Amino acid sequence: MKILIVEDEPSLRELMSRTLKAERYVVETASTYVEAEDKLAVYTYDCILLDIMLPDGDGLRLLEQLKKEGKRESVIIISARDSLEDKVLGLELGADDYLPKPFHLMELSARIRSVARRSRGDGNREFVQGNVRLDPAAYRVFVGEQELSLLRKEFDILAYFMQRPGHLVDKSVLAEAVWGDHVDQADNYHFVYAQMKNLRRKLEEAGATIELKAVYGFGYKLVLTDQNA
Ligand code: CA
């Protein structure tokens, strides 16, 4: 899951970034309205933590803009202006949640998890495809009854595909979602190929009835290998 932190106060931005990275999120940051606007024009995120009072603009305008463009990012407003008016306006504009400053970092994490659960829609914490079961909260994967041991990025890749069965995923989109922004400036995707190769081998060796099928020149998609499954 990839998060954009829009916050102009450096110490808070750093603290949030460090905390969320430790919780295995892919984290990007923007310190101004314009920087956030630029990033959102190019990259996609699962969740945006949005400060309202930015040096060069109002975070609520950014939220308004996002919703107007039909962007699907979840938005949690973080604001020092703990006014009912801001909260109501923010939620009316389509924010998913509102967190007044100062807040405890554990509270922030809980809100993000809750928003993530809601955006997945089903409230079901596990993803199941074929005989593979992935628990995103516990970072565990099972093939049948057997637990599969995956490295962090392998897990993140599999989680990404388990949420999008049958969808053709461009390798640059995958790289951005799992490794973060700026990988699109990488001159090749060798790191993606290397991790995919290991993950595909592990799935095969464990007898998984799913496969991350390479689509030449484009990317990958998760398909069921067992026609009876
Ligand atoms: Ca601020």
Side-chain angles (χ1 to χ4, degrees), residues 6-9 51-55 78 80 101:
V6 183
E7 169 63 64
D8 60 303
E9 194 199 312
D51 183 22
I52 292 185
M53 286 191 286
L54 295 164
I78 45 176
K101 291 179 192 170

Side-chain angles (χ1 to χ4, degrees), residues 14-200:
E14 276 311 301
L15 186 62
M16 286 195 288
S17 173
R18 220 173 327 124
T19 304
L20 296 174
K21 278 178 182 164
E23 294 185 18
R24 302 185 46 153
Y25 294 109
V26 173
V27 180
E28 300 291 341
T29 60
S31 55
T32 64
Y33 185 101
V34 168
E35 200 185 336
E37 204 175 30
D38 286 350
K39 282 191 170 248
L40 288 163
V42 181
Y43 304 110
T44 57
Y45 305 90
D46 300 298
C47 182
I48 302 168
L49 305 179
L50 183 63
D51 183 22
I52 292 185
M53 286 191 286
L54 295 164
D56 56 342
D58 183 341
L60 289 176
R61 296 284 81 77
L62 197 61
L63 171 62
E64 199 170 32
Q65 188 65 25
L66 279 175
K67 296 301 166 182
K68 207 178 287 172
E69 289 168 8
K71 299 257 188 166
R72 297 195 320 207
E73 275 95 347
S74 301
V75 176
I76 300 176
I77 293 173
I78 45 176
S79 174
R81 286 195 311 210
D82 187 16
S83 75
L84 187 61
E85 199 181 302
D86 276 350
K87 181 170 181 174
V88 169
L89 182 57
L91 296 176
E92 271 178 8
L93 287 173
D96 297 82
D97 209 342
Y98 183 98
L99 192 57
K101 291 179 192 170
F103 50 82
H104 198 287
L105 287 165
M106 277 173 63
E107 178 67 20
L108 177 66
S109 300
R111 300 287 184 101
I112 292 171
R113 278 198 299 277
S114 158
V115 161
R117 268 199 302 278
R118 265 182 281 152
S119 71
R120 286 202 290 265
D122 51 9
N124 184 358
R125 290 192 7 241
E126 292 194 342
F127 297 99
V128 179
Q129 292 296 324
N131 65 350
V132 179
R133 186 161 57 87
L134 181 140
D135 181 347
Y139 297 108
R140 298 178 81 181
V141 180
F142 294 87
V143 177
E145 294 304 309
Q146 199 68 36
E147 183 162 7
L148 185 63
S149 170
L150 295 180
L151 298 177
R152 174 172 171 167
K153 290 299 182 197
E154 294 168 352
F155 180 92
D156 292 346
I157 293 169
L158 184 59
Y160 191 83
F161 281 97
M162 291 286 279
Q163 292 172 64
R164 298 163 178 80
H167 287 233
L168 191 48
V169 177
D170 185 291
K171 58 186 180 300
S172 65
V173 172
L174 174 67
E176 190 198 316
V178 174
W179 280 268
D181 298 347
H182 307 299
V183 294
D184 59 343
Q185 288 149 27
D187 51 8
N188 68 61
Y189 288 96
H190 183 74
F191 56 100
V192 178
Y193 301 134
Q195 299 273 358
M196 284 301 284
K197 192 172 154 215
N198 291 336
L199 175 57
R200 293 168 74 191

